[in-house]
Amino acid sequence: MSTQSLPLRRDEAAARASLLKIEDYDVRLDLGSSEETFGSVTTIRFTSRGGPTFLDLKPVSVERISLNGASIDPGTLAKGRLPISTQEGPNELVVEATMPFRNDGEGLHRSVDPADGRAYVYGMCFMDAAPTIFACFDQPDLKAPYTFHVTAPHDWTVIGNAPGTQTSPGTWEFERSQPLSTYFVTLVAGPWHMIHDEHDGIPLSLSSRQSIAADLDKDAEELFTITKQCFDEFHRLFGIRYPFGNYHQAFVPEFNAGAMENPGCVTFRDPLVFTSRVTRGMRIQRATTVAHEMAHQWFGDLVTPQWWDDLWLNESFAEYMGNRVTAEVTEYADAWADMSYARRQWGLTADQRGSTHSVAGNGAEDAVSALQNFDGISYSKGSAILRQLAASLGDDVFFAGAIDHFTRHRFGNATMHDLFGSWDAAAAEAGVEFDLDTFTSQWLLKAGPDTLSWDPAKMVVNRTAPSLHPADRSHTFRAAILNGTRWTTEDITVSGDQTPLQVAANAVVLDPYDDTWASAIPDWETVQALKGAIASITDDGLRAGVWNNLRSAWFNAAVDPADVIDIAEASLPVEDLEDTPRRTMPWLFGSVVPLAPAGARERLHEAALRKLAEVAPGSELQLSSYRAAIRSASSESLLREWLATPPAGIETDLDLRWRILAKLAENGLADRSELQAAYDAEPANEARIHLNGALVSIPDAEAKVYGWSVFTGETDLPNYDILAAGRAFWTGPAELTAGYVERYFAELPATAEKRSGWSLAEAAEAFFPSGSVTEETLAAARAVIELDLDPGVRRRVADAADNLQRQLAIKVTYPA
């Protein structure tokens, strides 16, 4: 299904906001009459200065529309917009429509759990999806209260932004909500497993699918504990109580983002309910996500950006506060080091591409372009800069300014200038001298990171500003110095192109603790020294800093793949203890190994096996070593042995079983019947996603034909399955997929007829032929970018082409 519409321009939003004031929404939804659509009746009461405007609506069909009692012809609806002519004073608009259930993680997403056949739905209204659920004026600065009335199957529970009750079987009535932007409105409805608690007068609850109820039960104590600790800390820091009544955390299937901060009903991707064993890194990620979404209840929900160009403030603030509060008040005091592995390179690589943009004032002239700039710069870089600002202002001023901002604009909208005005006033009152204008100009309004490098011959730190975005930024950070076998740290301020650093050192690692925002590139001597030193580093932050330095060097073709393999071999598994997509292990196996000298994968496999034999059974390092060994394995006998009898201390749960089966399939050692039998034996959501990836990875023509049908939309799969198929497609002999490289660029534009929004862009990225590292593929990528593509697709392909260009630079600089 495609839900294409005209993107809302900033000037249009400003004109509509000056014309209208929304009094309230009354929304009636019938969720039980069809598996493909649902009924939606929206009544909007608003006042107007009088004149023409438009309503946002993306239905399957329209039954009736009336404005102030007069009928409106639904035939005037075009590209998601219904023209209306308002009268001066009060107006009432009623829209009765049939809306689509979706399977792309947007709008009202409907998912059927293969484990038991139960159906679940949830709302994701972010950016421009709300009009596929209810008629609305869809922009962040037209906030209003909502009252929902929902009819659902009798065995369903329905949760929304405001407290609700079941008044009769299948009928749910909700209290009137606080004023909300359209993109925060949600419902989660289905036969959920529910768990309830309370803290400090706030009703708390969790929900998940019934098939993972036992797993939520196991995790509930930890989740509630983190939630309570975070509430206490945010109340202490902000001095403003949580204002949205109940606090429900819903773990929902096939969710695109990590989570969404809907007031009163936060939605999380349900892989964060751990159905298989995970490492500490994954638990830290969940804890920081819980804290991040809670921070949004103040910054984003209580006070919302006036327009999308300030969306970075929402995410940067929540990212900073989520990490900080997790590290300070939960059991995960090492959260900052883990986030360095998980998020630092996401921001740094985005900031060095041709598509980089300033953190603030990023030119979001319409909602679609704003979404393209919703990236690692908005999260990771913005968070790092706010962390620097908090350190410079001091906590007293930083939080006094934030509290003033929340108080002045409570339940309203504001801009970056409003917030910075509050910080200026707080600094003046406290007698703190700090030039916010210069800080903003240098750090927030100029794109690109400076590059820092150590010259051991001259004993200086070089600072190089980005050539396309020159700036004059001062960096204060710690450098880690290796002298013999002893690591020490030294504070340094780099304020010019060259800054002396007179040290006796075998190695110098710049900014390992993420004190500033810069791309730190290690020198050749440091890289060589790390081969012998990496294994003995016990400081988690320093280890993360070493790998971030190496990854920054890789991104800029400034380190030999052979050297990276040497360091990895000495320190496998990489110590981030997790292998989710942005972390080090996937980068190592997915990016470095293909460009390294022959035998790199085999060397890492042997290193993983050695570590597996050394570490304590049941430890996290054992689990990470085992995963690395599976990822790099080629021996059928070994994989079959592990499938039957894992090493002592390892239990073959669903995740590990499918890792082994997927590797067997990729190596041509498991056929379709074996994969299907494994799925049939345990038909879980996660298993279905693994199954589709494994089916596409089989090294034969049939597998690639199937995978290609997923890309084109001929085979309609849910969003997670599409990504799994795309990531598996280019595995196997190059000659098997060579013909699809040209087809990718030829058939990419037409995928917009089958998908839209987030799912469309993610599919374009997942299926990009990133393993075809040739000038011809790069030229084809650059050519397709010039076509009339969906903006999200264009951005993903442009970034993939940037990666390809950098891979070519590595091949030329360091021929294997």
Side-chain angles (χ1 to χ4, degrees):
M1 180 203 71
S2 176
T3 54
Q4 300 297 330
S5 59
L6 288 175
L8 179 68
R9 299 196 313 270
R10 185 173 193 157
D11 60 333
E12 294 174 319
R16 192 160 63 173
S18 70
L19 182 71
L20 306 179
K21 179 183 178 183
I22 315 302
E23 301 299 331
D24 60 42
Y25 285 83
D26 186 275
V27 182
R28 296 182 177 273
L29 301 180
D30 181 357
L31 305 181
S33 57
S34 167
E35 295 182 356
E36 297 180 352
T37 61
F38 60 95
S40 173
V41 181
T42 308
T43 301
I44 312 174
R45 287 174 282 268
F46 61 95
T47 57
S48 173
R49 291 192 297 108
T53 186
F54 59 91
L55 179 79
D56 298 296
L57 181 63
K58 304 176 187 177
V60 174
S61 64
V62 177
E63 281 63 64
R64 74 181 170 95
I65 305 174
S66 67
L67 177 61
N68 301 321
S71 295
I72 294 177
D73 179 7
T76 61
L77 177 66
K79 295 188 176 180
R81 295 184 176 187
L82 178 78
I84 60 173
S85 182
T86 67
Q87 65 185 19
E88 185 175 358
N91 290 255
E92 183 175 278
L93 179 64
V94 180
V95 178
E96 182 178 352
T98 299
M99 298 296 202
F101 283 124
R102 298 171 65 171
N103 71 344
D104 59 359
E106 299 185 63
L108 202 57
H109 179 101
R110 184 178 188 274
S111 174
V112 177
D113 190 342
D116 55 20
R118 291 182 168 110
Y120 299 87
V121 302
Y122 62 86
M124 177 57 163
C125 288
F126 178 69
M127 198 59 78
D128 64 352
T132 66
I133 302 177
F134 56 94
C136 57
F137 299 105
D138 190 21
Q139 60 190 72
D141 60 344
L142 286 177
K143 297 175 97 170
Y146 288 77
T147 304
F148 270 80
H149 319 266
V150 180
T151 302
H154 291 188
D155 63 336
W156 282 21
T157 299
V158 184
I159 306 112
N161 298 102
T165 57
Q166 184 173 206
T167 57
S168 64
T171 301
W172 294 79
E173 298 289 337
F174 290 84
E175 296 176 14
R176 181 175 176 162
S177 75
Q178 297 285 11
L180 306 176
S181 296
T182 46
Y183 77 95
F184 291 136
V185 177
T186 196
L187 282 172
V188 295
W192 303 103
H193 173 61
M194 299 286 299
I195 307 175
H196 296 272
D197 203 343
E198 182 274 341
H199 179 67
D200 193 20
I202 304 169
L204 306 177
S205 51
L206 307 169
S207 64
S208 74
R209 291 176 286 126
Q210 290 288 347
S211 65
I212 58 173
D215 301 293
L216 183 64
D217 288 344
K218 286 188 300 184
D219 287 355
E221 182 178 356
E222 179 176 329
L223 286 165
F224 278 134
T225 297
I226 291 168
T227 300
K228 295 170 185 179
Q229 290 168 330
C230 291
F231 262 130
D232 288 345
E233 183 69 354
F234 283 122
H235 284 158
R236 184 186 75 82
L237 292 172
F238 297 151
I240 297 171
R241 282 189 59 80
Y242 168 70
F244 294 105
N246 297 355
Y247 195 71
H248 181 71
Q249 296 175 100
F251 293 87
V252 299
E254 299 159 0
F255 199 69
N256 284 323
M260 181 64 196
E261 64 269 20
N262 315 300
C265 184
V266 179
T267 42
F268 297 82
R269 57 167 52 216
D270 71 5
L272 290 176
V273 176
F274 302 135
T275 57
S276 293
R277 185 183 170 197
V278 298
T279 61
R280 183 177 179 84
M282 202 62 211
R283 293 190 177 276
I284 292 173
Q285 179 180 326
R286 183 172 69 182
T288 56
T289 303
V290 168
H292 176 115
E293 303 310 321
M294 191 180 292
H296 273 309
Q297 305 302 308
W298 288 265
F299 214 113
D301 296 4
L302 182 63
V303 180
T304 308
Q306 184 172 313
W307 180 245
W308 299 116
D309 62 340
D310 277 336
L311 192 62
W312 73 272
L313 263 180
N314 272 18
E315 298 307 337
S316 300
F317 192 92
E319 183 88 349
Y320 168 58
M321 292 305 304
N323 294 339
R324 171 177 170 157
V325 167
T326 300
E328 290 181 355
V329 303
T330 77
E331 65 180 284
Y332 299 113
D334 50 339
W336 281 115
D338 188 78
M339 286 302 103
S340 185
Y341 281 117
R343 310 283 264 192
R344 182 76 168 179
Q345 287 299 315
W346 181 35
L348 279 173
T349 55
D351 206 20
Q352 295 173 80
R353 300 191 196 281
S355 59
T356 187
H357 54 85
S358 59
V359 177
N362 53 35
E365 291 306 312
D366 61 58
V368 171
S369 65
L371 183 58
Q372 310 326 309
N373 289 335
F374 193 60
D375 56 17
I377 295 170
S378 309
Y379 286 79
S380 181
K381 181 179 182 180
S383 167
I385 292 171
L386 285 182
R387 190 180 182 188
Q388 291 173 229
L389 178 61
S392 299
L393 291 175
D395 272 0
D396 289 346
V397 171
F398 184 81
F399 287 110
I403 292 165
D404 181 68
H405 183 72
F406 299 148
T407 304
R408 287 177 182 272
H409 306 286
R410 184 178 177 88
F411 295 122
N413 298 82
T415 68
M416 179 189 80
H417 300 291
D418 294 324
L419 175 61
F420 278 58
S422 292
W423 273 326
D424 264 330
E429 184 175 343
V432 174
E433 294 186 8
F434 186 77
D435 188 349
L436 268 171
D437 288 340
T438 299
F439 180 88
T440 301
S441 172
Q442 293 297 320
W443 291 100
L444 295 174
L445 296 179
K446 291 188 177 179
D450 292 342
T451 300
L452 302 175
S453 60
W454 156 249
D455 184 337
K458 297 180 179 179
M459 287 202 175
V460 297
V461 174
N462 296 310
R463 182 199 67 180
T464 306
S467 57
L468 296 179
H469 308 280
D472 185 17
R473 292 179 280 238
S474 176
H475 300 268
T476 298
F477 57 88
R478 288 163 287 177
I481 316 297
L482 176 64
N483 188 344
T485 59
R486 182 169 174 265
W487 287 95
T488 58
T489 59
E490 183 158 335
D491 294 340
I492 181 171
T493 296
V494 173
S495 54
D497 292 341
Q498 290 192 333
T499 301
L501 180 61
Q502 301 285 333
V503 292
N506 305 91
V508 173
V509 178
L510 301 179
D511 191 30
Y513 302 105
D514 303 343
D515 296 316
T516 190
W517 183 258
S519 176
I521 309 293
D523 64 282
W524 184 87
E525 292 182 8
T526 292
V527 170
Q528 304 312 307
L530 286 170
K531 296 178 184 181
I534 184 75
S536 62
I537 297 175
T538 57
D539 181 330
D540 290 340
L542 177 55
R543 284 181 184 274
V546 165
W547 282 106
N548 276 320
N549 272 227
L550 290 168
R551 292 185 67 176
S552 288
W554 173 268
F555 194 70
N556 290 281
V559 66
D560 192 327
D563 288 334
V564 177
I565 295 298
D566 287 345
I567 295 170
E569 186 179 22
S571 184
L572 201 75
V574 172
E575 296 80 357
D576 53 6
L577 293 177
E578 196 48 64
D579 53 4
T580 48
R582 292 192 186 110
R583 293 175 181 257
T584 313
M585 294 291 279
W587 164 77
L588 185 63
F589 282 104
S591 297
V592 179
V593 167
L595 298 183
R601 183 176 298 275
E602 291 75 14
R603 286 173 58 195
L604 294 183
H605 181 66
E606 291 301 318
L609 291 177
R610 288 194 297 272
K611 181 67 75 172
L612 191 59
E614 296 169 4
V615 296
S619 66
E620 292 191 348
L621 273 175
Q622 185 198 31
L623 179 59
S624 291
S625 302
Y626 188 50
R627 288 174 173 177
I630 293 169
R631 183 192 289 267
S632 53
S634 58
S635 166
E636 180 176 14
S637 60
L638 179 61
L639 289 167
R640 295 285 178 192
E641 177 186 336
W642 282 340
L643 198 58
T645 310
I650 297 287
E651 179 182 344
T652 304
D653 53 26
L654 183 146
D655 176 70
L656 288 174
R657 182 178 302 109
W658 275 102
R659 285 175 188 256
I660 296 171
L661 287 168
K663 180 54 63 173
L664 286 166
E666 180 186 330
N667 292 339
L669 303 172
D671 61 22
R672 291 167 181 82
S673 61
E674 179 180 9
L675 299 173
Q676 188 64 49
Y679 173 74
D680 291 342
E682 194 172 2
N685 254 14
E686 298 85 345
R688 189 200 64 227
I689 296 160
H690 283 299
L691 171 66
N692 275 305
L695 289 172
V696 173
S697 73
I698 295 172
D700 65 24
E702 180 183 347
K704 304 311 174 184
V705 168
Y706 172 65
W708 200 250
S709 74
V710 174
F711 172 62
T712 62
E714 178 186 350
T715 296
D716 184 22
L717 293 178
N719 46 351
Y720 284 16
D721 300 64
I722 294 169
L723 298 185
R727 291 164 182 160
F729 185 82
W730 301 99
T731 58
E735 58 269 19
L736 190 63
T737 55
Y740 287 99
V741 175
E742 184 177 343
R743 289 184 63 183
Y744 172 85
F745 298 108
E747 298 175 40
L748 174 67
T751 60
E753 299 171 8
K754 299 289 187 179
R755 304 186 184 99
S756 64
W758 198 314
S759 184
L760 172 66
E762 291 234 311
E765 179 181 3
F767 277 91
F768 185 88
S770 56
S772 178
V773 186
T774 68
E775 292 287 353
E776 292 77 14
T777 302
L778 179 59
R782 288 173 170 167
V784 80
I785 292 166
E786 300 303 316
L787 301 179
D788 184 23
L789 293 178
D790 171 90
V793 171
R794 179 180 293 108
R795 172 64 185 273
R796 299 298 183 101
V797 175
D799 288 350
D802 183 277
N803 281 344
L804 201 56
Q805 182 178 7
R806 293 171 185 276
Q807 289 174 295
L808 284 166
I810 292 168
K811 285 182 70 173
V812 170
T813 308
Y814 305 103

